[in-house]
Amino acid sequence: RTPDGIADAAGIFRQLAAAHPDRPEAFAKLADCYLLQREFGTLPEPEAYARARAAAQEALTRDPRSSGGLRALAFVRFWHDADPKALDLFARAAELDRRSAQTQLWYANALSARARHKEAQAAFARARALDPNNSAIIADQAFDLLFAGRTDEAERLLRAVLAVQPGLSSAHRALSWVALRRGNDRLFLAEAGEAARLRGDRATLAELAEAEAALATGGRP
């Protein structure tokens, strides 16, 4: 989950899709890459969602039961289209491939966004059981704990993740939210800045530099 890593993966999946145009798997994973590039890189959201939707539909054209295609389409319809039926698509994708940690993770994040925290934590637990060494799952689980008001638990998880994988931008972003909730402005700026640096997000870094200067001269207001 680094900008270069995801870009390299997208290039490989494009090659595989061209070499095997009758199979859905590369198209589905290419859709995943586009969606991850908007979160862990700087691909503009409208472009990321448009590319992901097209790739997911290519996968589903080849196999209407493609769990990866359904997962990516569910993501687009949930986060971009605000489609209330997107949760049903996530559930269907999870049913079709019960061993996909990625599907459980994205389903959990959608449940969290609907404040269905108990169900979200169950989905995060399933994702971790399937892929116990995936730090991204733990970081997103901590986000849900934070949104559920369990700030101390969230912070403990995030610091454990960063001790193992200090370059995970989503964990730094989540820790910045913890700091903001606690009123620790300097830590908020530091963690948000590290998340932006890891994503290569120069625009956000410039905004944070302005905020840091404003904090130094005018305080929290």
Side-chain angles (χ1 to χ4, degrees), residues 36-203:
L36 290 171
Q37 281 181 311
R38 49 165 281 287
E39 181 180 359
F40 292 91
T42 56
L43 185 64
E45 291 210 348
E47 184 177 353
Y49 284 123
R51 289 187 184 185
R53 191 194 304 272
Q57 288 171 341
E58 290 284 356
L60 291 168
T61 297
R62 287 151 180 80
D63 180 4
R65 290 174 56 84
S66 166
S67 60
L70 287 170
R71 175 185 63 226
L73 185 61
F75 191 108
V76 173
R77 287 173 57 175
F78 185 87
W79 295 104
H80 183 265
D81 301 346
D83 182 351
K85 295 182 180 179
L87 283 175
D88 295 335
L89 270 187
F90 276 123
R92 186 179 169 202
E95 181 67 23
L96 287 169
D97 185 358
R98 294 176 179 270
R99 298 202 58 77
S100 173
Q102 181 79 5
T103 301
Q104 292 294 339
L105 172 61
W106 284 5
Y107 189 21
N109 284 332
L111 290 166
S112 176
R114 289 286 181 266
R116 291 165 60 172
H117 300 298
K118 184 176 180 180
E119 294 169 85
Q121 285 297 315
F124 282 122
R126 290 192 293 271
R128 289 183 66 175
L130 290 165
D131 191 359
N133 295 318
N134 190 331
S135 296
I137 296 173
I138 304 171
D140 284 2
Q141 183 179 24
F143 245 130
D144 179 65
L145 291 171
L146 177 64
F147 295 147
R150 297 160 65 179
T151 308
D152 290 344
E153 292 176 70
E155 184 173 12
R156 282 196 295 271
L157 267 186
L158 290 168
R159 294 199 179 280
V161 166
L162 289 171
V164 175
Q165 192 173 344
L168 183 63
S169 63
S170 60
H172 287 285
R173 183 166 60 91
L175 195 56
S176 76
W177 282 59
V178 170
L180 194 64
R181 176 163 288 186
R182 294 191 187 286
N184 189 335
D185 301 320
R186 295 192 181 283
L187 181 59
F188 163 72
L189 291 169
E191 291 296 337
E194 184 63 8
R197 184 189 68 79
L198 289 165
R199 293 176 60 221
D201 188 346
R202 295 182 180 179

